[in-house]
Amino acid sequence: MEQPVEYHPWEPFTPDGAVVLFVGTFPPARSRWAMDFYYPNRINDFWRIMGLIFKGDKNALLTPDLTGYRLDEIKQLLTERHIALSDTGLAIRRLAGNASDKFLEIVEQRDIPALVATMPDCRFIAPAGIKASEVVAGQTSTEVPKMGATVNIKLGDRPITIARMPSTSRAYPMKLEKKADYYRNLFELAAIL
């Protein structure tokens, strides 16, 4: 039996002056959400990585009981640090009933180059994980870079760097601190850290 199509619940978060656009694949099922925003899964490492890098504490963006997120602080951090968020999937099917990229069929992609065109200060596209990296590579006619590597392209007359990041899923076998090193290197390259 064919699985139902799910549609992305949020518009891209693109604060004025955003320099880096992180793109994932698609949110987990709503039952896994700890907030109504990107990277909502309480066991995903994205917000722990951001807390570690920008606040020196992996739990800084979590609620005191560590079961939710401080959404207002997250949006403030993203705005102050010129970080945008989106996903590559606008519509998907979950082939195995979970959030694993391996079992997601992207039915409709978000046009990442078109999104970047609306962000005049954006100079970096940072796909997290292999599926998001493959979508970005397909849309930009580039190869998928190795983890932590970059590819330089032009969108219109603007130079853009595509920087592949490790997945922030706990299922991805890499320690939080090692993942944070990749993200920190990107922020240093983008001159926002």
Side-chain angles (χ1 to χ4, degrees), residues 67-135:
T67 63
Y69 297 104
R70 300 171 189 253
L71 184 53
D72 290 342
E73 289 180 39
I74 284 170
K75 288 182 177 180
Q76 180 180 352
L77 172 72
L78 295 172
T79 301
E80 289 173 355
R81 294 298 182 151
H82 308 291
I83 299 168
L85 301 175
S86 188
D87 281 322
T88 53
L90 280 176
I92 59 96
R93 281 192 186 92
R94 296 183 199 280
L95 304 179
N98 61 33
S100 171
D101 280 0
K102 186 164 49 170
F103 300 110
L104 281 184
E105 173 192 353
I106 298 180
V107 176
E108 182 182 354
Q109 296 179 2
R110 180 174 304 282
D111 186 335
I112 301 302
L115 176 59
V116 171
T118 69
M119 302 167 57
D121 298 308
C122 185
R123 298 186 328 271
F124 295 86
I125 301 171
I130 187 64
K131 188 166 287 250
S133 298
E134 289 170 347
V135 170

Side-chain angles (χ1 to χ4, degrees), residues 9-178:
W10 310 300
E11 290 297 315
F13 182 80
T14 56
D16 288 344
V19 173
V20 174
L21 170 64
F22 282 107
V23 290
T25 307
F26 199 83
R30 189 175 292 270
S31 62
R32 307 287 295 173
W33 294 8
M35 67 174 166
D36 192 9
F37 193 64
Y38 288 89
Y39 299 98
N41 192 331
R42 65 186 55 83
I43 61 168
N44 188 284
D45 282 332
F46 188 85
W47 299 117
R48 287 173 182 83
I49 290 168
M50 296 301 116
L52 188 61
I53 292 171
F54 292 112
K55 298 186 176 281
D57 177 2
K58 69 180 181 180
N59 295 323
L61 298 171
L62 279 71
T63 55
D65 64 3
L66 305 181
T67 63
Y69 297 104
R70 300 171 189 253
L71 184 53
D72 290 342
E73 289 180 39
I74 284 170
K75 288 182 177 180
Q76 180 180 352
L77 172 72
L78 295 172
T79 301
E80 289 173 355
R81 294 298 182 151
H82 308 291
I83 299 168
L85 301 175
S86 188
D87 281 322
T88 53
L90 280 176
I92 59 96
R93 281 192 186 92
R94 296 183 199 280
L95 304 179
N98 61 33
S100 171
D101 280 0
K102 186 164 49 170
F103 300 110
L104 281 184
E105 173 192 353
I106 298 180
V107 176
E108 182 182 354
Q109 296 179 2
R110 180 174 304 282
D111 186 335
I112 301 302
L115 176 59
V116 171
T118 69
M119 302 167 57
D121 298 308
C122 185
R123 298 186 328 271
F124 295 86
I125 301 171
I130 187 64
K131 188 166 287 250
S133 298
E134 289 170 347
V135 170
V136 170
Q139 291 184 3
T140 57
S141 300
T142 59
E143 295 293 320
V144 175
K146 292 182 181 176
M147 187 75 63
T150 60
V151 173
N152 295 313
I153 64 167
K154 283 215 173 205
L155 290 179
D157 60 353
R158 185 173 9 151
I160 299 288
T161 300
I162 300 169
R164 181 172 167 206
M165 297 288 104
S167 170
T168 56
S169 168
R170 292 266 178 97
Y172 187 72
M174 183 183 286
K175 291 188 178 212
L176 175 76
E177 294 77 13
K178 181 69 175 164

Side-chain angles (χ1 to χ4, degrees), residues 179-193:
K179 290 179 186 181
D181 288 341
Y182 284 96
Y183 285 77
R184 185 179 292 108
N185 289 341
L186 172 62
F187 292 137
E188 289 173 353
L189 183 64
I192 59 175
L193 183 63

